[in-house]
């Protein structure tokens, strides 16, 4: 007797979708709290958290509420927290001095969180000048008003040392300057911080989805960042950036944004043997929240679906503003 496979009605894939328990058992992709990283903003000089209009549910923290958020992240089992500092406007200048000042808000926040949670959470920090400059760009400008790549690298080296001295576990150079990973690695090693790891923003695209983030960090940006962030039509270029970052010493690599670049994420995940992260950015968050607020989509299902898609595409770590909420839901078995 011959046995035939793959023909109807003998083969019915729906048998594996019959109940929640069945679907859970055969699920190919799962989310876990340890894979989630919470981006958090801390603002200098405020006594109460400042809600972000374009990101409902997200705030600019005070130092005290940031410590509480970090403790909640530990309790929820998150993998890490990525810190962004928002200095007072009057302290910003052309070279982003608050970013290297030991008493700058980001360095203070790193010390606060490290004192609160110790090594129970991977403390990450944004290594970029855009929050700290009066022009809002990610680097130092030359006399013509253009980004000076190599002068910017010198500032990144100083930032790396300042953040490591404050107690950070991982730095995230996000400015997309050529050579930034090598310069940061050499700066860290030269200062005796060999154990501080680098999460390279390897494929960071010049995206329209960053809008709400500009409110979150009080950006002073005029113009755009198209001359240094990647061009959205290009895919192979991301693999070139990947090769360079790995050669320069990146410990982990990241794709940003997440949803519009799942193809890039998949290609990078297939190409490397280091941890791969993706950043579900402010505009992705805001779209879901706005649509849900209008009753157009199921908020909770949409959140889990988007995160699962990022995980399915190859990210082992996901930076998301829903990190603590989702981890708590996962812990409840939802």
């Amino acid at each position: 007797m011959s046995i035939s496979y793959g023909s109807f009605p003998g083969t019915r894939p729906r048998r594996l979708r019959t109940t929640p328990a069945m679907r859970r058992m055969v699920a190919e992709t799962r989310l876990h709290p340890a894979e989630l990283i919470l981006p958090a903003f801390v603002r200098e000089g405020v006594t109460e958290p400042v809600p972000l209009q374009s990101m409902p549910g997200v705030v600019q923290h005070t130092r005290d509420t940031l410590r509480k958020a970090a403790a909640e992240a530990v309790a929820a089992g998150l993998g890490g927290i990525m810190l962004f500092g928002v200095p007072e406007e009057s302290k910003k200048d052309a070279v982003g001095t608050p970013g290297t000042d030991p008493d700058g808000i980001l360095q203070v926040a790193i010390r606060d969180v490290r004192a609160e949670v110790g090594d129970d959470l991977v403390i990450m920090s944004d290594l970029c000048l855009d929050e700290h400059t009066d022009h809002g760009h990610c680097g130092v400008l030359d006399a013509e008003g253009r980004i000076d790549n190599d002068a910017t690298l010198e500032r990144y080296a100083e930032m790396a040392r300042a953040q490591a001295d404050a107690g950070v576990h991982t730095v995230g150079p996000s400015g997309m300057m050529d050579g930034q990973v090598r310069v940061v690695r050499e700066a860290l090693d030269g200062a005796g911080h060999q154990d501080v790891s680098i999460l390279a923003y390897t494929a960071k695209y010049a995206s329209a989805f960053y809008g709400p983030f500009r409110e979150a960090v009080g950006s002073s940006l005029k113009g755009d960042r198209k001359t240094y962030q990647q061009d959205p039509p290009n895919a192979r270029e991301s693999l070139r950036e990947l090769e360079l970052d790995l050669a320069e010493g990146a410990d982990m690599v990241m794709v940003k944004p997440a949803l519009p670049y799942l193809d890039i994420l998949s290609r990078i995940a297939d190409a490397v043997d280091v941890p791969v992260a993706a950043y579900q950015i402010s505009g992705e968050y805001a779209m879901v929240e706005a649509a849900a607020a209008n009753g157009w989509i199921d908020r909770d299902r949409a959140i889990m679906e988007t995160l699962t898609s990022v995980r399915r595409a190859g990210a082992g770590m996901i930076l998301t503003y829903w990190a603590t909420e989702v981890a708590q839901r996962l812990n409840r078995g939802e």
Side-chain angles (χ1 to χ4, degrees):
M1 182 180 77
S2 63
I3 300 176
S4 175
Y5 295 95
S7 61
F8 179 82
T11 301
R12 293 179 183 264
R14 287 181 54 197
R15 294 187 187 114
L16 301 184
R17 306 168 194 154
T18 52
T19 66
M22 178 65 78
R23 293 191 294 274
R24 183 173 62 248
M25 185 181 72
V26 301
E28 299 174 22
T29 305
R30 303 179 195 277
L31 294 172
H32 189 279
E35 299 164 349
L36 304 178
I37 298 165
L38 177 68
F41 309 102
V42 57
R43 180 171 171 177
E44 187 173 24
V46 296
T47 57
E48 296 290 338
V50 179
L52 298 177
Q53 185 176 12
S54 57
M55 298 177 68
V58 179
V59 302
Q60 293 172 326
H61 284 286
T62 69
R63 290 175 60 187
D64 285 340
T65 63
L66 177 65
R67 284 192 288 264
K68 292 177 182 176
E72 288 178 356
V74 171
L78 294 191
I81 187 169
M82 174 66 79
L83 302 178
F84 297 85
V86 184
E88 293 179 353
E89 198 68 27
S90 62
K91 294 184 179 179
K92 295 180 180 180
D93 59 22
V95 296
T97 296
T100 51
D101 181 352
D103 294 320
I105 184 59
L106 182 54
Q107 284 69 252
V108 169
I110 293 169
R111 291 196 294 271
D112 284 345
V113 174
R114 189 67 187 267
E116 182 71 30
V117 302
D119 293 331
D120 292 339
L121 188 68
V122 178
I123 302 167
M124 304 176 168
S125 55
D126 182 55
L127 201 162
C128 194
L129 289 171
D130 59 322
E131 299 102 307
H132 309 284
T133 55
D134 54 13
H135 49 73
H137 276 287
C138 296
V140 178
L141 304 182
D142 64 17
E144 304 297 323
R146 300 168 301 191
I147 291 290
D148 186 326
N149 189 97
D150 295 359
T152 298
L153 294 181
E154 295 179 15
R155 295 291 293 138
Y156 286 2
E158 295 178 52
M159 291 186 77
R161 289 189 289 266
Q163 292 175 6
D165 287 344
V168 80
H169 295 107
T170 301
V171 295
S174 61
M176 290 300 289
M177 297 296 125
D178 293 339
Q180 63 184 15
V181 173
R182 177 183 60 81
V183 167
V184 167
R185 183 73 269 158
E186 290 177 353
L188 291 170
D189 290 352
H193 293 298
Q194 292 90 347
D195 289 340
V196 174
S197 56
I198 297 176
L199 171 59
Y201 283 60
T202 292
K204 183 179 180 182
Y205 282 85
S207 172
F209 291 93
Y210 295 130
F213 180 86
R214 307 263 164 90
E215 177 194 355
V217 296
S219 175
S220 307
L221 180 67
K222 302 293 188 297
D224 58 51
R225 296 172 175 146
K226 293 180 179 178
T227 63
Y228 47 101
Q229 293 178 351
Q230 279 187 245
D231 198 18
N234 293 351
R236 289 193 303 272
E237 184 180 47
S238 66
L239 297 180
R240 186 183 187 197
E241 293 279 3
L242 174 66
E243 182 179 3
L244 291 168
D245 281 353
L246 292 176
E248 292 174 17
D251 299 289
M252 300 168 276
V253 296
M254 183 158 68
V255 174
K256 180 180 181 181
L259 285 179
Y261 298 94
L262 293 180
D263 60 322
I264 306 300
L265 174 58
S266 180
R267 292 179 69 167
I268 285 179
D270 287 344
V272 301
D273 56 6
V274 299
V276 177
Y279 196 147
Q280 187 181 54
I281 67 170
S282 59
E284 300 173 60
Y285 175 95
M287 284 194 305
V288 171
E289 291 288 350
N294 279 282
W296 296 335
I297 61 173
D298 181 320
R299 176 184 180 273
D300 291 352
R301 287 184 60 195
I303 290 171
M304 300 305 284
E305 188 173 342
T306 58
L307 289 172
T308 299
S309 74
V310 178
R311 182 73 181 85
R312 190 181 62 241
M317 303 173 291
I318 306 173
L319 286 80
T320 174
Y321 299 98
W322 290 303
T324 302
E325 174 189 343
V326 168
Q328 291 169 342
R329 288 171 58 186
L330 292 171
N331 291 333
R332 293 192 298 265
E334 298 179 13

